[in-house]
Amino acid sequence: MLPDNDTKRILNEMDLKKPPHILYHMQVASLTGAIRQYNLSWAINDYLKIHPQACVVEMGAELSCLRRQMKNNSNDWINLDLNKVIKLGNQYIPWGKKERNYVCNLTDHSWFNNIPFNKENGVIFVAAGVLHYLKYEDVKNLLKVLCIWHCFT
């Protein structure tokens, strides 16, 4: 189902070991994360069919390997996250030629200056598992700024 061999291996091992009930929630969370990544990859690929030169921006990228799972080496790919997370990613994940990591707080919109946006090429923003950590007003402001930035840049 997924191009992520590690996820496949982990899920297979969890099924084989028949973990005690206490690990059930971890299994569900793992499967949910895998499904989310799978759905995101389809959404991004669908957008890239229409905008093949688009920039992909992962807000709250965590230790995402989505670009690697998708085998995407042709698009600009921006990972945004907090300093500690970006440092871990730099330590453990080999980044692609067109992939860049930026330390930022999503509520401080100065990170928009790092996005190589061209209206003709397009841009897709994904925020998997990050918005629920923000306050409602911060999410509203972020979405408003994204719309304004996209329309007037």
Side-chain angles (χ1 to χ4, degrees), residues 23-141:
L23 295 179
Y24 171 77
H25 295 293
M26 189 165 74
Q27 282 183 308
V28 171
S30 297
L31 186 56
T32 302
I35 291 169
R36 179 180 67 200
Q37 289 291 89
Y38 181 76
N39 288 337
L40 279 175
S41 70
W42 275 96
I44 292 168
N45 278 329
D46 284 349
Y47 185 82
L48 294 178
K49 286 177 188 172
I50 300 166
H51 305 282
Q53 300 301 314
C55 175
V56 180
V57 180
E58 276 195 81
M59 298 186 293
E62 299 174 337
L63 297 176
S64 173
C65 296
L66 186 58
R67 183 203 57 81
R68 289 169 49 86
Q69 293 165 352
M70 294 174 62
K71 296 180 173 69
N72 183 310
N73 294 309
S74 56
N75 295 83
D76 287 324
W77 199 289
I78 309 297
N79 298 307
L80 304 172
D81 216 315
L82 300 174
N83 188 39
K84 287 180 180 180
V85 180
I86 294 293
K87 281 183 181 179
L88 278 173
N90 288 336
Q91 185 177 351
Y92 294 107
I93 301 171
W95 302 110
K97 292 177 188 172
K98 299 186 82 176
E99 188 171 16
R100 292 185 294 285
N101 301 318
Y102 293 114
V103 172
C104 75
N105 178 333
L106 292 177
T107 62
D108 172 4
H109 306 132
S110 61
W111 57 266
F112 280 101
N113 298 326
N114 295 320
I115 308 301
F117 177 63
N118 174 322
K119 273 194 178 187
E120 292 176 15
N121 293 343
V123 63
I124 182 168
F125 291 89
V126 294
V130 68
L131 296 181
H132 62 277
Y133 290 109
L134 303 178
K135 295 176 186 169
Y136 175 78
E137 287 301 317
D138 291 334
V139 173
K140 224 164 85 170
N141 288 334

